[in-house]
Amino acid sequence: MKSQNKYRKFQLQQKNIEALERENSRFKRVYSEYENMADELWNLENSTNEPVPDDFINAIMLQSSYLEDEIEDWLIKFNNQKTDIKH
């Protein structure tokens, strides 16, 4: 059995992500790039093929962390907007 992809950190906020993707094309592009990088990291770390240099993996991890920060900012703003609307 394959273990869960640890790079998919936003799975619990999927409804908000889907709403943001409908509302904001830039968010959709950023989130899509994040998903691609998360999948690639997962594949590289779990591959039985030739090893990939650590520098390459670290570069992808760094870029992924930048995308995560941007996604988190969008989700915080989105959640705050939902809260403001309710009040």
Side-chain angles (χ1 to χ4, degrees):
M1 184 172 121
K2 236 181 175 180
S3 58
Q4 185 177 9
N5 186 338
K6 67 182 177 182
Y7 297 110
R8 289 296 183 95
K9 124 180 214 178
F10 300 108
Q11 289 178 334
L12 297 177
Q13 299 185 50
Q14 203 57 44
K15 286 184 180 181
N16 291 344
I17 288 169
E18 289 169 6
L20 272 167
E21 285 180 322
R22 285 190 300 272
E23 294 174 10
N24 189 315
S25 62
R26 185 170 192 283
F27 176 84
K28 186 174 183 174
R29 285 191 311 271
V30 168
Y31 192 74
S32 175
E33 183 66 21
Y34 168 74
E35 284 185 314
N36 290 337
M37 285 190 164
D39 289 342
E40 189 60 32
L41 276 169
W42 179 254
N43 292 336
L44 288 172
E45 288 187 348
N46 292 288
S47 173
T48 57
N49 296 334
E50 289 187 35
V52 177
D54 287 343
D55 288 347
F56 181 76
I57 291 176
N58 290 339
I60 294 176
M61 290 174 80
L62 181 62
Q63 182 61 34
S64 294
S65 73
Y66 290 139
L67 294 172
E68 283 178 2
D69 291 345
E70 191 169 351
I71 292 166
E72 284 175 352
D73 288 346
W74 258 314
L75 288 169
I76 289 169
K77 289 176 189 173
F78 183 77
N79 287 329
N80 287 343
Q81 286 176 346
K82 284 184 7 181
T83 304
D84 290 345
I85 291 171
K86 290 180 181 178
H87 289 112

